């Protein structure tokens, strides 16, 4: 089972209120539905109001029940998912269902979900992206690969990019030809930024290198903004 102290998913409080009002329901009606249909005896109208005001956040179980009471999917009550677990909750999927689809033992899947580090093969990774409807960027983030990807991209921009195409292709599901084109483009742009800092006398101008450092700091955004056909 998942750890009891797992963080709650990002809750979209305005959406909860908007959905309730669209149904013509009062907070008391929502609370009653959650108690009667989902056995959450502790839920009161005041708790529902606190959620809608952003003063409190429902747990994963409460979020699922709230979605049921409001006749919507859990994803409609969740802000932008940030983790593997949040993407699963947004689709209303049980961890057992995801583990079965991906081809992993439930405990192995839950361990990866809790740690945020994905340790599975290419086939399982493709299945994960499919079942959770992950974009390549979201896949890299929720599987804990952003740090490694950023380091490889920085190396590709500052040294010989050709040597980093293969390791990067193992991390993210991007077509190889496009990946190579993007790495080449980013390498040229970084080199141009650094060349522009040199003065005519061969020295460096004041603040030289700032543009290049800023480019490397936003390397992930630069990379994904150039990917067109993941």
């Amino acid at each position: 089972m998942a750890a009891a102290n797992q963080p709650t998913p990002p809750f979209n409080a305005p959406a909860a209120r908007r959905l309730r009002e669209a149904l013509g329901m009062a907070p008391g009606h929502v609370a009653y539905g959650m108690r009667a249909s989902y056995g959450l005896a502790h839920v009161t109208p005041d708790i529902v109001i606190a959620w809608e005001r952003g003063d409190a956040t429902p747990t994963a179980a409460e979020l699922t029940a709230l979605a049921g009471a409001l006749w919507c999917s859990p994803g409609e009550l969740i802000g932008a998912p940030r983790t593997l677990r949040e993407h699963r909750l947004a689709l209303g999927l049980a961890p057992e269902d995801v583990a079965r689809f991906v081809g992993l033992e439930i405990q192995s899947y839950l361990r990866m979900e809790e740690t945020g580090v994905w340790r599975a093969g290419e086939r399982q990774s493709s299945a994960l992206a499919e079942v959770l409807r992950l974009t390549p960027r979201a896949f890299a983030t929720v599987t804990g690969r952003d740090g490694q990807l950023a380091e490889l991209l920085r190396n590709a921009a500052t040294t010989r990019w050709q040597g980093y195409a293969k390791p990067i292709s193992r991390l993210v599901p991007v077509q190889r030809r496009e990946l190579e084109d993007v790495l080449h483009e980013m390498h040229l742009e970084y080199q141009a930024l650094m060349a522009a800092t040199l003065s005519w006398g061969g020295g460096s101008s004041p603040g030289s290198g700032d543009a290049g450092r800023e480019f490397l700091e936003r390397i992930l955004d630069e990379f994904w903004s150039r990917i067109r056909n993941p």
Side-chain angles (χ1 to χ4, degrees):
M1 295 179 61
N5 61 349
Q6 278 201 346
T8 56
F11 182 62
N12 191 335
R17 180 173 181 176
R18 185 170 61 252
L19 288 164
R20 174 180 61 77
E21 292 177 343
L23 292 170
M25 300 172 69
H29 297 142
V30 176
Y32 174 79
M34 294 177 67
R35 292 196 303 269
S37 300
Y38 296 90
L40 300 182
H42 65 282
V43 177
T44 65
D46 286 341
I47 290 178
V48 174
I49 292 172
W51 290 337
E52 293 182 354
R53 289 176 176 172
D55 296 332
T57 303
T59 65
E62 290 168 342
L63 182 72
T64 299
L66 179 61
L70 294 176
W71 293 86
C72 68
S73 70
E76 294 178 75
L77 298 174
I78 295 179
R82 302 160 299 185
T83 65
L84 181 57
R85 177 172 176 268
E86 290 171 5
H87 277 277
R88 174 177 62 76
L89 289 173
L91 294 174
L93 296 173
E96 293 81 4
D97 295 333
V98 177
R100 188 180 307 110
F101 188 91
V102 173
L104 292 172
E105 294 292 333
I106 180 61
Q107 292 302 329
S108 296
Y109 170 77
L110 285 174
R111 192 176 306 113
M112 296 180 198
E113 190 174 275
E114 292 163 8
T115 62
V117 178
W118 184 251
R119 301 184 185 280
E122 184 176 344
R123 185 184 65 80
Q124 286 108 337
S125 296
S126 296
L128 180 74
E130 179 182 350
V131 71
L132 295 184
R133 306 174 192 172
L134 299 173
T135 64
R137 182 166 193 173
F139 174 82
T141 298
V142 303
T143 55
R145 301 181 179 189
D146 274 352
Q148 186 180 359
L149 175 60
E151 182 63 23
L152 290 173
L153 290 172
R154 282 190 286 268
N155 290 337
T158 57
T159 60
R160 287 179 55 84
W161 65 267
Q162 294 90 339
Y164 295 93
K166 188 172 183 179
I168 291 174
S169 69
R170 292 171 178 166
L171 291 181
V172 292
V174 175
Q175 294 178 8
R176 183 64 178 267
R177 177 61 183 272
E178 182 177 20
L179 173 61
E180 292 176 347
D181 289 345
V182 168
L183 292 181
H184 187 198
E185 177 185 325
M186 292 174 63
H187 175 82
L188 292 176
E189 183 167 339
Y190 173 78
Q191 298 302 323
L193 288 172
M194 297 308 294
T197 66
L198 300 176
S199 66
W200 286 106
S204 299
S205 60
S208 65
D210 288 352
R213 283 191 290 271
E214 291 173 2
F215 182 85
L216 295 180
E217 287 175 0
R218 62 175 190 274
I219 197 74
L220 285 177
D221 289 335
E222 291 289 342
F223 175 70
W224 289 117
S225 69
R226 289 167 164 80
I227 296 296
R228 295 289 179 264
N229 298 298

